[in-house]
Amino acid sequence: MSLIFSPWALGGLRLKNRLLRSATWEGMAQANGLPRRELGELWARLAQGGVGLIVAGYLYVLPRGQGLPGQTGIFGEQHVAPLAELVEMVHQAGGKLAAQLVHAGRHTRSAWIGARPLGPTAGYNQALDEVVEELTTDQIEEILEAFGAAAGRAQKAGFDAVQLHAAHGYLISQFLSPAFNQRRDQYGGSLENRARFGIRACEAVRQAVGPDYPVFIKLNSDDGLPDGFTPQEAVQVAMELDRLGIDAIEVSGGVAGGGRPHKNSPGRVVRKPEEEGYFFANALAVKQKVSCPVISVGGWRSPQRIEEALAGVDAVAMSRPLIRQPDLPRRWQSGHRAPATCISCGQCLSLGMEGGIACGQERKKRARQEKGVHRERTESVGNDSDNAPTIT
């Protein structure tokens, strides 16, 4: 039996295969964070395509924690019922769905949140041309409470699990990284202090959902920045999370806005098999030191390479390939072993800013096909005198 399609457990959640759709901003919510029905339709297509677990991304826990326009929120009770409808669409399609929880921290724009961005340390975010305010201890407590409350709402809405986003330069990741965190209190300085915010967020989530509900985390393994969070530090944090009872760790890296395809980008160009799994070595280093399942994310494209990776980790997560081919897992399971056709062009995110994430290459292909059909119809009409009067 293929390792890819062998079942496994994430906490108490039984999953049919070892493929996850890694959390991705979909850009399919209203200005108040309420999801549009198209988001549920997207998730349902992924479920029908056969992926073992869909991680919905990335739901912001407070209005000031929004990271992008069109992002789905989970900061109020008004979000529970609409999200529950979409979760039910996934379950009806035979899928499992986790909610990723996030606070963007300094990585957002004041125009999107109506205030200055907040971060571990005051400063200037050159990537977004924003002045960042330093979080007070009271604000930190408010955010920690918000993570717990959001997890409770996700559980109430019927999500099968929750994941904390501690990667890619968002708030938990910012606290972990000396490149963004120069605090001199209990949340800055030593690794133990820098990890405190993320550890407490996990504890708040666990307290909200109870001991049996699956809780996992997406952890940066390397910022790729001077004086940033390192792979060695990531292993230490992973060991502490494992000790506290985290149900799985998805090992990622890079910082959003770092610029593709540089080494500090979460989403790099992958054109050949040897470029797949660009955070895999870091995932292996974590796996060697923890007892919980470890998930590798970062440029996976081919079933052969994924099979090899599963000899060392428990599961593999993908995003961009499933934007272009949501049925990719089902294709692989049926015996079609061709790699994903994703070319890492990045247009999917650009289209997200225009109303919802989509594959740019597939959209171009459809446009060419529609243009060809239109040309054929026009030529057919033009050569038929009986139809000519209908042309306007």
Side-chain angles (χ1 to χ4, degrees):
M1 179 190 221
S2 165
L3 272 176
I4 296 175
F5 297 101
S6 60
W8 66 296
L10 196 164
L13 181 63
R14 188 74 171 171
L15 298 172
K16 63 185 178 183
N17 62 50
R18 295 171 185 267
L19 297 174
L20 285 78
R21 184 269 202 165
S22 193
T24 303
W25 163 76
E26 298 99 349
M28 294 180 178
Q30 304 171 45
N32 56 7
L34 294 174
R36 307 199 313 261
R37 185 172 178 81
E38 296 98 304
L39 180 57
E41 293 169 349
L42 182 150
W43 291 342
R45 285 194 297 274
L46 287 164
Q48 292 162 357
V51 70
L53 178 65
I54 303 157
V55 188
Y58 50 151
L59 285 67
Y60 59 105
V61 302
L62 282 173
R64 207 164 171 179
Q66 180 179 359
L68 280 171
Q71 186 178 350
T72 307
I74 196 166
F75 56 83
E77 291 303 307
Q78 70 272 24
H79 296 99
V80 175
L83 285 169
E85 291 183 16
L86 305 194
V87 172
E88 182 59 22
M89 293 171 68
V90 173
H91 289 164
Q92 288 292 329
K96 302 289 186 183
L97 183 66
Q100 188 190 68
L101 309 179
V102 71
H103 190 294
R106 74 195 301 273
H107 197 73
T108 186
R109 294 187 186 275
S110 53
W112 300 335
I113 62 175
R116 281 185 174 174
L118 296 166
T121 307
Y124 174 64
N125 184 347
Q126 186 174 7
L128 295 177
D129 188 25
E130 289 284 348
V131 175
V132 179
E133 291 183 4
E134 182 167 311
L135 283 159
T136 66
T137 53
D138 286 345
Q139 288 171 323
I140 288 173
E141 294 299 324
E142 178 190 8
I143 294 171
L144 291 170
E145 290 176 10
F147 269 104
R153 294 185 194 106
Q155 187 180 36
K156 190 187 302 184
F159 284 92
D160 299 289
V162 293
Q163 182 188 62
L164 289 92
H165 197 347
H168 305 169
Y170 295 106
L171 188 57
I172 298 177
S173 175
Q174 290 163 27
F175 269 97
L176 287 169
S177 176
F180 303 121
N181 182 356
Q182 291 91 45
R183 296 179 73 96
R184 297 183 180 274
D185 61 4
Q186 68 269 35
Y187 293 103
S190 68
L191 178 59
E192 179 183 3
N193 283 356
R194 285 183 278 120
R196 192 183 309 278
F197 177 81
I199 295 294
R200 291 194 61 200
C202 290
E203 291 173 339
V205 165
R206 176 57 73 197
Q207 184 174 0
V209 300
D212 300 323
Y213 188 74
V215 176
F216 64 124
I217 194 166
K218 187 170 192 171
L219 180 67
N220 242 33
S221 62
D222 188 358
D223 288 348
L225 299 172
D227 302 318
F229 190 58
T230 68
Q232 294 76 21
E233 290 179 319
V235 170
Q236 295 300 311
V237 173
M239 292 170 63
E240 178 62 15
L241 290 166
D242 186 46
R243 187 187 69 80
L244 291 172
I246 201 77
D247 288 311
I249 301 171
E250 181 183 359
V251 179
S252 190
V255 175
R260 189 178 57 86
H262 301 300
K263 71 173 185 175
N264 61 333
S265 171
R268 305 175 189 175
V269 172
V270 177
R271 297 286 167 81
K272 46 192 176 181
E274 53 267 34
E275 294 174 342
E276 297 183 38
Y278 39 78
F279 297 122
F280 181 59
N282 295 348
L284 279 180
V286 169
K287 180 64 179 175
Q288 291 167 5
K289 295 293 184 178
V290 301
S291 59
C292 69
V294 171
I295 303 156
S296 175
V297 67
W300 296 109
R301 297 289 185 271
S302 60
Q304 294 82 5
R305 297 288 289 186
I306 292 171
E307 291 279 5
E308 294 169 6
L310 290 174
V313 297
D314 299 275
V316 159
M318 300 183 294
S319 175
R320 289 173 291 174
L322 296 175
I323 295 172
R324 184 166 193 177
Q325 296 172 286
D327 64 341
L328 190 60
R330 196 170 296 283
R331 290 189 188 195
W332 286 348
Q333 190 169 23
S334 68
H336 298 281
R337 306 288 281 180
T341 55
C342 175
I343 63 169
S344 309
C345 67
Q347 293 180 32
C348 46
L349 297 176
S350 300
L351 289 171
M353 297 295 285
E354 300 174 10
I357 201 163
C359 177
Q361 299 303 313
E362 289 298 305
R363 184 166 291 188
K364 287 178 183 178
K365 185 167 72 174
R366 285 195 300 272
R368 288 194 298 267
Q369 290 170 344
E370 290 170 2
K371 186 176 180 180
V373 169
H374 176 74
R375 183 184 298 114
E376 289 175 8
R377 287 176 177 171
T378 302
E379 290 172 353
S380 175
V381 169
N383 292 330
D384 186 344
S385 59
D386 291 336
N387 290 333
T390 66
I391 301 176
T392 56

